[in-house]
Amino acid sequence: MQAKYEQGRYLFTSESVSMGHPDKVSDQVSDAVLDSLLAKDPKARVACETLCTTGLVLVAGEVTVNNSDAILAMDGIEDTVRQTLRNIGYTDPAMKFDAESCAVLRTIHGQSPDISRGVDEKEGEAGAGDQGLMFGFACRETPDLMPLPIHLAHRLMERHAAVREQGLIRGLRPDAKSQVTIEYDGGRPIRVHTVVISTQHTPEWNGDTKQAELKQEVIKHIIEPEMPDGLYDPANVIIHVNPTGQFEVGGPHGDTGLTGRKIIVDTYGGRGRHGGGAFSGKDPTKVDRSATYMARHIAKNIVAAELAEVCEVQLAYAIGVAEPISVLVDTQGTGVVDEDALSRAIRETFPLTPSGIIDYLQLRRPIYTETARHGHFGRKPTADGKFTWEKTDKAEALKKALGGVAGSAAAR
């Protein structure tokens, strides 16, 4: 299978969805609830799931908090939900789902003591909150070391949100999807082949003539500003905008949303493997989230250190056990060092226990709502400490652990 990425021409496609997509609405609500609790109790344990549909948001899950301020934050979950919906843009009753009129139901109880005893610190070290396998991926296709198709799909959705909020195209609504197909030759991107954008809109854009006008506006204001130089040829690209003909009915009124249904959008757009665990609504003791962030951090540092052009890292854990049961590196034929030696260097360079990861990446903070839209990876680390897993500050330490290996994988 990997040979497909190493020779010949082929097409690869990834998609993203907007902050107003119903599944992303659910992800953002779950992470906003998580953030509201971590802001009051950094050691809160949270597993929060959200369902949203016409006129209803249902928040369910298990929570353990340790102080009265966090208990008050739980009492304020309804306000947290409504503010999240306002921030997304669901403020118009005509969409049949809006922050002021929807019902908010909450059913939350304490965490299972059987899980808690596996996570509680013993001799200063906490066990993993669940068993599982987590993958991290990086490649040299973009400055952020992400695959190009998912990178562009996310940027289109970011641009869609900005255009909608600034009113550059009138009548856009929050729900939207993007899809980008890149043509590769010998494993390297050579051109943008196809771009698809479906965007919810007001009734004024209904009809073939209006849709043709909307397509030109979307190309001008959303698509072309995000296309990479040298890879986008307007005369030689396929573009679909609202290919069904119109998209008036959308959001949670058009499709029920659930937390955790966009895990490929959240990661690498299908280019790297996925262990199956969702992120949103989970505090960092859940290795589904924290260890996946660490796996991305490790893979990105390996590529940044020029130890490989492409790198996938797998970490695996057993519930209640602190150390990972396996660490696997796959450089897909692009590495400049032995992969077993690289695995050993990873254990030497990075903390891999749940407590070590949490402290190293500074994860006990209210930083998660922003991750629930436009991807968890390929984002810029911020001054206030968000997206710490995107730093490449361990590249030199990795080389040192490998005995000062130097050289470029591209020259291999």
Side-chain angles (χ1 to χ4, degrees), residues 348-387:
E348 179 180 332
T349 306
F350 298 93
L352 299 179
T353 65
S355 295
I357 292 172
I358 289 168
D359 292 342
Y360 174 78
L361 294 178
Q362 304 170 50
L363 298 179
R364 289 196 188 276
R365 296 175 298 124
I367 58 173
Y368 296 105
T369 304
E370 194 171 338
T371 69
R373 53 184 179 264
H374 309 141
H376 292 246
F377 307 124
R379 310 288 293 274
K380 299 293 185 186
T382 63
D384 59 351
K386 296 185 180 77
F387 302 102

mmCIF file of all heavy atoms in Angstrom, residues 348-387:
data_model
loop_
_atom_site.group_PDB
_atom_site.id
_atom_site.type_symbol
_atom_site.label_atom_id
_atom_site.label_comp_id
_atom_site.label_asym_id
_atom_site.label_seq_id
_atom_site.Cartn_x
_atom_site.Cartn_y
_atom_site.Cartn_z
ATOM 1 N N GLU A 348 13.755 8.242 25.244
ATOM 2 C CA GLU A 348 14.766 9.000 25.997
ATOM 3 C C GLU A 348 14.461 10.495 26.002
ATOM 4 O O GLU A 348 14.765 11.192 26.983
ATOM 5 C CB GLU A 348 16.146 8.755 25.373
ATOM 6 C CG GLU A 348 17.278 9.499 26.045
ATOM 7 C CD GLU A 348 18.620 9.230 25.387
ATOM 8 O OE1 GLU A 348 18.785 8.143 24.805
ATOM 9 O OE2 GLU A 348 19.502 10.125 25.447
ATOM 10 N N THR A 349 13.819 10.997 24.950
ATOM 11 C CA THR A 349 13.675 12.438 24.754
ATOM 12 C C THR A 349 12.345 12.988 25.252
ATOM 13 O O THR A 349 12.279 14.121 25.733
ATOM 14 C CB THR A 349 13.832 12.781 23.252
ATOM 15 O OG1 THR A 349 15.070 12.248 22.778
ATOM 16 C CG2 THR A 349 13.795 14.282 23.029
ATOM 17 N N PHE A 350 11.277 12.184 25.153
ATOM 18 C CA PHE A 350 9.937 12.683 25.449
ATOM 19 C C PHE A 350 9.327 11.944 26.641
ATOM 20 O O PHE A 350 9.445 10.716 26.736
ATOM 21 C CB PHE A 350 9.014 12.491 24.244
ATOM 22 C CG PHE A 350 9.440 13.232 23.013
ATOM 23 C CD1 PHE A 350 10.237 12.605 22.058
ATOM 24 C CD2 PHE A 350 9.051 14.537 22.797
ATOM 25 C CE1 PHE A 350 10.634 13.266 20.908
ATOM 26 C CE2 PHE A 350 9.444 15.218 21.656
ATOM 27 C CZ PHE A 350 10.238 14.581 20.708
ATOM 28 N N PRO A 351 8.633 12.639 27.531
ATOM 29 C CA PRO A 351 7.876 11.955 28.585
ATOM 30 C C PRO A 351 6.635 11.306 27.972
ATOM 31 O O PRO A 351 5.871 11.971 27.267
ATOM 32 C CB PRO A 351 7.499 13.090 29.548
ATOM 33 C CG PRO A 351 7.467 14.314 28.693
ATOM 34 C CD PRO A 351 8.497 14.112 27.621
ATOM 35 N N LEU A 352 6.411 10.033 28.255
ATOM 36 C CA LEU A 352 5.334 9.307 27.600
ATOM 37 C C LEU A 352 4.290 8.762 28.563
ATOM 38 O O LEU A 352 3.321 8.139 28.127
ATOM 39 C CB LEU A 352 5.908 8.152 26.759
ATOM 40 C CG LEU A 352 6.856 8.568 25.627
ATOM 41 C CD1 LEU A 352 7.380 7.345 24.896
ATOM 42 C CD2 LEU A 352 6.159 9.521 24.657
ATOM 43 N N THR A 353 4.459 8.973 29.863
ATOM 44 C CA THR A 353 3.399 8.595 30.805
ATOM 45 C C THR A 353 2.309 9.661 30.747
ATOM 46 O O THR A 353 2.559 10.806 30.361
ATOM 47 C CB THR A 353 3.930 8.501 32.240
ATOM 48 O OG1 THR A 353 4.338 9.817 32.667
ATOM 49 C CG2 THR A 353 5.110 7.534 32.328
ATOM 50 N N PRO A 354 1.069 9.315 31.120
ATOM 51 C CA PRO A 354 0.009 10.332 31.094
ATOM 52 C C PRO A 354 0.360 11.582 31.882
ATOM 53 O O PRO A 354 0.166 12.707 31.394
ATOM 54 C CB PRO A 354 -1.194 9.588 31.685
ATOM 55 C CG PRO A 354 -0.953 8.152 31.316
ATOM 56 C CD PRO A 354 0.540 7.973 31.423
ATOM 57 N N SER A 355 0.891 11.419 33.114
ATOM 58 C CA SER A 355 1.266 12.595 33.907
ATOM 59 C C SER A 355 2.375 13.386 33.241
ATOM 60 O O SER A 355 2.354 14.628 33.223
ATOM 61 C CB SER A 355 1.710 12.166 35.305
ATOM 62 O OG SER A 355 0.652 11.594 36.027
ATOM 63 N N GLY A 356 3.352 12.681 32.685
ATOM 64 C CA GLY A 356 4.458 13.351 32.006
ATOM 65 C C GLY A 356 3.993 14.140 30.799
ATOM 66 O O GLY A 356 4.432 15.274 30.573
ATOM 67 N N ILE A 357 3.092 13.544 30.001
ATOM 68 C CA ILE A 357 2.555 14.240 28.829
ATOM 69 C C ILE A 357 1.776 15.473 29.250
ATOM 70 O O ILE A 357 1.930 16.564 28.682
ATOM 71 C CB ILE A 357 1.657 13.281 28.016
ATOM 72 C CG1 ILE A 357 2.496 12.168 27.380
ATOM 73 C CG2 ILE A 357 0.884 14.050 26.950
ATOM 74 C CD1 ILE A 357 1.665 11.064 26.730
ATOM 75 N N ILE A 358 0.918 15.327 30.254
ATOM 76 C CA ILE A 358 0.081 16.438 30.711
ATOM 77 C C ILE A 358 0.934 17.609 31.166
ATOM 78 O O ILE A 358 0.687 18.765 30.805
ATOM 79 C CB ILE A 358 -0.862 15.972 31.838
ATOM 80 C CG1 ILE A 358 -1.944 15.047 31.265
ATOM 81 C CG2 ILE A 358 -1.493 17.156 32.558
ATOM 82 C CD1 ILE A 358 -2.748 14.310 32.324
ATOM 83 N N ASP A 359 1.968 17.327 31.951
ATOM 84 C CA ASP A 359 2.840 18.397 32.433
ATOM 85 C C ASP A 359 3.662 19.006 31.311
ATOM 86 O O ASP A 359 3.793 20.231 31.203
ATOM 87 C CB ASP A 359 3.762 17.868 33.528
ATOM 88 C CG ASP A 359 3.011 17.504 34.809
ATOM 89 O OD1 ASP A 359 1.868 17.967 34.976
ATOM 90 O OD2 ASP A 359 3.572 16.750 35.623
ATOM 91 N N TYR A 360 4.206 18.162 30.457
ATOM 92 C CA TYR A 360 5.085 18.627 29.384
ATOM 93 C C TYR A 360 4.345 19.514 28.391
ATOM 94 O O TYR A 360 4.846 20.556 27.964
ATOM 95 C CB TYR A 360 5.694 17.407 28.689
ATOM 96 C CG TYR A 360 6.509 17.711 27.461
ATOM 97 C CD1 TYR A 360 7.811 18.193 27.567
ATOM 98 C CD2 TYR A 360 5.988 17.499 26.184
ATOM 99 C CE1 TYR A 360 8.572 18.464 26.433
ATOM 100 C CE2 TYR A 360 6.735 17.760 25.049
ATOM 101 C CZ TYR A 360 8.017 18.242 25.178
ATOM 102 O OH TYR A 360 8.760 18.512 24.058
ATOM 103 N N LEU A 361 3.136 19.111 28.009
ATOM 104 C CA LEU A 361 2.349 19.880 27.038
ATOM 105 C C LEU A 361 1.425 20.905 27.693
ATOM 106 O O LEU A 361 0.698 21.610 26.990
ATOM 107 C CB LEU A 361 1.528 18.926 26.158
ATOM 108 C CG LEU A 361 2.336 18.001 25.233
ATOM 109 C CD1 LEU A 361 1.391 17.077 24.457
ATOM 110 C CD2 LEU A 361 3.212 18.795 24.273
ATOM 111 N N GLN A 362 1.449 20.967 29.028
ATOM 112 C CA GLN A 362 0.652 21.944 29.786
ATOM 113 C C GLN A 362 -0.837 21.818 29.434
ATOM 114 O O GLN A 362 -1.482 22.770 29.000
ATOM 115 C CB GLN A 362 1.137 23.369 29.494
ATOM 116 C CG GLN A 362 2.619 23.587 29.766
ATOM 117 C CD GLN A 362 3.099 24.925 29.243
ATOM 118 O OE1 GLN A 362 2.486 25.962 29.503
ATOM 119 N NE2 GLN A 362 4.186 24.903 28.491
ATOM 120 N N LEU A 363 -1.372 20.637 29.670
ATOM 121 C CA LEU A 363 -2.719 20.322 29.207
ATOM 122 C C LEU A 363 -3.818 20.540 30.238
ATOM 123 O O LEU A 363 -5.000 20.418 29.898
ATOM 124 C CB LEU A 363 -2.763 18.864 28.720
ATOM 125 C CG LEU A 363 -1.850 18.528 27.535
ATOM 126 C CD1 LEU A 363 -1.979 17.059 27.166
ATOM 127 C CD2 LEU A 363 -2.151 19.422 26.340
ATOM 128 N N ARG A 364 -3.468 20.857 31.474
ATOM 129 C CA ARG A 364 -4.521 21.058 32.485
ATOM 130 C C ARG A 364 -4.994 22.516 32.484
ATOM 131 O O ARG A 364 -5.050 23.175 33.511
ATOM 132 C CB ARG A 364 -3.995 20.680 33.876
ATOM 133 C CG ARG A 364 -3.780 19.189 34.076
ATOM 134 C CD ARG A 364 -3.644 18.867 35.546
ATOM 135 N NE ARG A 364 -3.262 17.492 35.808
ATOM 136 C CZ ARG A 364 -4.105 16.473 35.872
ATOM 137 N NH1 ARG A 364 -5.392 16.681 35.677
ATOM 138 N NH2 ARG A 364 -3.672 15.251 36.127
ATOM 139 N N ARG A 365 -5.366 23.010 31.328
ATOM 140 C CA ARG A 365 -5.792 24.393 31.191
ATOM 141 C C ARG A 365 -6.979 24.466 30.233
ATOM 142 O O ARG A 365 -7.188 23.563 29.416
ATOM 143 C CB ARG A 365 -4.641 25.251 30.651
ATOM 144 C CG ARG A 365 -3.454 25.328 31.605
ATOM 145 C CD ARG A 365 -2.296 26.089 30.995
ATOM 146 N NE ARG A 365 -1.796 25.429 29.789
ATOM 147 C CZ ARG A 365 -1.694 26.015 28.597
ATOM 148 N NH1 ARG A 365 -2.047 27.268 28.443
ATOM 149 N NH2 ARG A 365 -1.224 25.344 27.560
ATOM 150 N N PRO A 366 -7.761 25.543 30.287
ATOM 151 C CA PRO A 366 -8.923 25.665 29.387
ATOM 152 C C PRO A 366 -8.511 26.114 27.993
ATOM 153 O O PRO A 366 -8.684 27.270 27.590
ATOM 154 C CB PRO A 366 -9.780 26.728 30.094
ATOM 155 C CG PRO A 366 -8.809 27.567 30.851
ATOM 156 C CD PRO A 366 -7.728 26.625 31.307
ATOM 157 N N ILE A 367 -7.969 25.176 27.202
ATOM 158 C CA ILE A 367 -7.391 25.489 25.890
ATOM 159 C C ILE A 367 -8.077 24.737 24.750
ATOM 160 O O ILE A 367 -7.598 24.780 23.612
ATOM 161 C CB ILE A 367 -5.891 25.131 25.876
ATOM 162 C CG1 ILE A 367 -5.697 23.643 26.215
ATOM 163 C CG2 ILE A 367 -5.113 26.022 26.844
ATOM 164 C CD1 ILE A 367 -4.268 23.154 26.056
ATOM 165 N N TYR A 368 -9.191 24.095 25.014
ATOM 166 C CA TYR A 368 -9.661 23.071 24.087
ATOM 167 C C TYR A 368 -10.755 23.506 23.123
ATOM 168 O O TYR A 368 -10.878 22.920 22.035
ATOM 169 C CB TYR A 368 -10.113 21.845 24.877
ATOM 170 C CG TYR A 368 -8.970 21.212 25.630
ATOM 171 C CD1 TYR A 368 -8.848 21.358 27.005
ATOM 172 C CD2 TYR A 368 -7.975 20.515 24.952
ATOM 173 C CE1 TYR A 368 -7.781 20.801 27.694
ATOM 174 C CE2 TYR A 368 -6.900 19.965 25.626
ATOM 175 C CZ TYR A 368 -6.805 20.103 27.003
ATOM 176 O OH TYR A 368 -5.744 19.570 27.677
ATOM 177 N N THR A 369 -11.555 24.516 23.444
ATOM 178 C CA THR A 369 -12.653 24.886 22.543
ATOM 179 C C THR A 369 -12.137 25.238 21.159
ATOM 180 O O THR A 369 -12.737 24.871 20.138
ATOM 181 C CB THR A 369 -13.445 26.070 23.127
ATOM 182 O OG1 THR A 369 -13.906 25.726 24.435
ATOM 183 C CG2 THR A 369 -14.655 26.386 22.260
ATOM 184 N N GLU A 370 -10.997 25.924 21.111
ATOM 185 C CA GLU A 370 -10.440 26.328 19.821
ATOM 186 C C GLU A 370 -9.974 25.128 18.996
ATOM 187 O O GLU A 370 -9.937 25.196 17.763
ATOM 188 C CB GLU A 370 -9.286 27.308 20.039
ATOM 189 C CG GLU A 370 -8.868 28.043 18.788
ATOM 190 C CD GLU A 370 -7.886 29.166 19.061
ATOM 191 O OE1 GLU A 370 -7.843 29.654 20.204
ATOM 192 O OE2 GLU A 370 -7.162 29.558 18.127
ATOM 193 N N THR A 371 -9.619 24.028 19.644
ATOM 194 C CA THR A 371 -9.187 22.847 18.891
ATOM 195 C C THR A 371 -10.349 22.177 18.176
ATOM 196 O O THR A 371 -10.137 21.414 17.227
ATOM 197 C CB THR A 371 -8.524 21.801 19.815
ATOM 198 O OG1 THR A 371 -9.515 21.226 20.688
ATOM 199 C CG2 THR A 371 -7.422 22.411 20.654
ATOM 200 N N ALA A 372 -11.578 22.444 18.624
ATOM 201 C CA ALA A 372 -12.749 21.729 18.111
ATOM 202 C C ALA A 372 -13.246 22.271 16.778
ATOM 203 O O ALA A 372 -14.282 21.837 16.286
ATOM 204 C CB ALA A 372 -13.876 21.764 19.148
ATOM 205 N N ARG A 373 -12.540 23.217 16.210
ATOM 206 C CA ARG A 373 -12.868 23.700 14.864
ATOM 207 C C ARG A 373 -11.569 23.907 14.088
ATOM 208 O O ARG A 373 -10.563 24.327 14.640
ATOM 209 C CB ARG A 373 -13.669 25.001 14.925
ATOM 210 C CG ARG A 373 -13.035 26.105 15.764
ATOM 211 C CD ARG A 373 -13.942 27.326 15.838
ATOM 212 N NE ARG A 373 -13.384 28.389 16.653
ATOM 213 C CZ ARG A 373 -13.670 28.588 17.936
ATOM 214 N NH1 ARG A 373 -14.513 27.766 18.550
ATOM 215 N NH2 ARG A 373 -13.130 29.585 18.599
ATOM 216 N N HIS A 374 -11.588 23.551 12.822
ATOM 217 C CA HIS A 374 -10.476 23.756 11.896
ATOM 218 C C HIS A 374 -9.252 22.905 12.222
ATOM 219 O O HIS A 374 -8.137 23.250 11.842
ATOM 220 C CB HIS A 374 -10.073 25.236 11.849
ATOM 221 C CG HIS A 374 -11.233 26.159 11.612
ATOM 222 N ND1 HIS A 374 -11.361 27.383 12.243
ATOM 223 C CD2 HIS A 374 -12.346 26.027 10.842
ATOM 224 C CE1 HIS A 374 -12.480 27.966 11.868
ATOM 225 N NE2 HIS A 374 -13.104 27.165 11.019
ATOM 226 N N GLY A 375 -9.471 21.772 12.902
ATOM 227 C CA GLY A 375 -8.409 20.804 13.085
ATOM 228 C C GLY A 375 -7.614 20.973 14.361
ATOM 229 O O GLY A 375 -7.387 22.091 14.830
ATOM 230 N N HIS A 376 -7.162 19.856 14.925
ATOM 231 C CA HIS A 376 -6.346 19.866 16.135
ATOM 232 C C HIS A 376 -4.863 20.008 15.814
ATOM 233 O O HIS A 376 -4.078 20.319 16.704
ATOM 234 C CB HIS A 376 -6.565 18.572 16.926
ATOM 235 C CG HIS A 376 -7.936 18.448 17.511
ATOM 236 N ND1 HIS A 376 -8.184 18.445 18.869
ATOM 237 C CD2 HIS A 376 -9.151 18.319 16.920
ATOM 238 C CE1 HIS A 376 -9.483 18.314 19.090
ATOM 239 N NE2 HIS A 376 -10.086 18.233 17.919
ATOM 240 N N PHE A 377 -4.495 19.781 14.554
ATOM 241 C CA PHE A 377 -3.080 19.774 14.180
ATOM 242 C C PHE A 377 -2.837 20.727 13.006
ATOM 243 O O PHE A 377 -3.746 21.095 12.271
ATOM 244 C CB PHE A 377 -2.645 18.353 13.819
ATOM 245 C CG PHE A 377 -2.961 17.353 14.894
ATOM 246 C CD1 PHE A 377 -3.727 16.230 14.624
ATOM 247 C CD2 PHE A 377 -2.515 17.548 16.186
ATOM 248 C CE1 PHE A 377 -4.035 15.316 15.623
ATOM 249 C CE2 PHE A 377 -2.817 16.653 17.199
ATOM 250 C CZ PHE A 377 -3.581 15.529 16.907
ATOM 251 N N GLY A 378 -1.558 21.121 12.862
ATOM 252 C CA GLY A 378 -1.224 22.093 11.839
ATOM 253 C C GLY A 378 -1.591 23.505 12.228
ATOM 254 O O GLY A 378 -1.691 24.379 11.369
ATOM 255 N N ARG A 379 -1.763 23.764 13.514
ATOM 256 C CA ARG A 379 -2.127 25.088 14.017
ATOM 257 C C ARG A 379 -0.884 25.759 14.613
ATOM 258 O O ARG A 379 0.065 25.094 15.034
ATOM 259 C CB ARG A 379 -3.213 24.971 15.094
ATOM 260 C CG ARG A 379 -4.412 24.102 14.691
ATOM 261 C CD ARG A 379 -5.302 24.763 13.668
ATOM 262 N NE ARG A 379 -5.972 25.923 14.236
ATOM 263 C CZ ARG A 379 -7.129 25.844 14.915
ATOM 264 N NH1 ARG A 379 -7.717 24.680 15.115
ATOM 265 N NH2 ARG A 379 -7.691 26.946 15.388
ATOM 266 N N LYS A 380 -0.903 27.060 14.700
ATOM 267 C CA LYS A 380 0.242 27.790 15.236
ATOM 268 C C LYS A 380 0.184 27.795 16.767
ATOM 269 O O LYS A 380 -0.852 28.138 17.351
ATOM 270 C CB LYS A 380 0.236 29.230 14.736
ATOM 271 C CG LYS A 380 0.337 29.381 13.224
ATOM 272 C CD LYS A 380 1.681 28.933 12.711
ATOM 273 C CE LYS A 380 1.798 29.221 11.210
ATOM 274 N NZ LYS A 380 3.057 28.660 10.635
ATOM 275 N N PRO A 381 1.269 27.422 17.453
ATOM 276 C CA PRO A 381 1.303 27.606 18.912
ATOM 277 C C PRO A 381 1.072 29.074 19.254
ATOM 278 O O PRO A 381 1.586 29.967 18.572
ATOM 279 C CB PRO A 381 2.721 27.161 19.294
ATOM 280 C CG PRO A 381 3.174 26.293 18.166
ATOM 281 C CD PRO A 381 2.525 26.849 16.933
ATOM 282 N N THR A 382 0.284 29.326 20.285
ATOM 283 C CA THR A 382 -0.090 30.695 20.615
ATOM 284 C C THR A 382 0.660 31.188 21.849
ATOM 285 O O THR A 382 1.184 30.402 22.639
ATOM 286 C CB THR A 382 -1.603 30.794 20.881
ATOM 287 O OG1 THR A 382 -1.929 29.982 22.017
ATOM 288 C CG2 THR A 382 -2.395 30.326 19.673
ATOM 289 N N ALA A 383 0.670 32.514 22.023
ATOM 290 C CA ALA A 383 1.379 33.115 23.149
ATOM 291 C C ALA A 383 0.781 32.701 24.486
ATOM 292 O O ALA A 383 1.483 32.657 25.504
ATOM 293 C CB ALA A 383 1.364 34.637 23.018
ATOM 294 N N ASP A 384 -0.530 32.379 24.492
ATOM 295 C CA ASP A 384 -1.162 31.978 25.746
ATOM 296 C C ASP A 384 -1.138 30.467 25.956
ATOM 297 O O ASP A 384 -1.834 29.938 26.820
ATOM 298 C CB ASP A 384 -2.604 32.503 25.819
ATOM 299 C CG ASP A 384 -3.480 31.998 24.678
ATOM 300 O OD1 ASP A 384 -2.932 31.384 23.739
ATOM 301 O OD2 ASP A 384 -4.707 32.224 24.724
ATOM 302 N N GLY A 385 -0.331 29.751 25.173
ATOM 303 C CA GLY A 385 -0.063 28.349 25.456
ATOM 304 C C GLY A 385 -0.989 27.347 24.807
ATOM 305 O O GLY A 385 -1.008 26.177 25.215
ATOM 306 N N LYS A 386 -1.725 27.742 23.780
ATOM 307 C CA LYS A 386 -2.540 26.770 23.051
ATOM 308 C C LYS A 386 -1.683 26.097 21.983
ATOM 309 O O LYS A 386 -0.736 26.666 21.462
ATOM 310 C CB LYS A 386 -3.747 27.440 22.394
ATOM 311 C CG LYS A 386 -4.743 28.059 23.364
ATOM 312 C CD LYS A 386 -5.964 28.584 22.616
ATOM 313 C CE LYS A 386 -6.980 29.210 23.562
ATOM 314 N NZ LYS A 386 -6.589 30.546 24.011
ATOM 315 N N PHE A 387 -2.025 24.855 21.668
ATOM 316 C CA PHE A 387 -1.363 24.071 20.622
ATOM 317 C C PHE A 387 0.140 23.889 20.904
ATOM 318 O O PHE A 387 0.982 23.965 20.009
ATOM 319 C CB PHE A 387 -1.572 24.705 19.241
ATOM 320 C CG PHE A 387 -3.024 24.855 18.868
ATOM 321 C CD1 PHE A 387 -3.662 26.081 18.960
ATOM 322 C CD2 PHE A 387 -3.764 23.757 18.465
ATOM 323 C CE1 PHE A 387 -5.013 26.217 18.645
ATOM 324 C CE2 PHE A 387 -5.110 23.879 18.152
ATOM 325 C CZ PHE A 387 -5.734 25.115 18.237
#
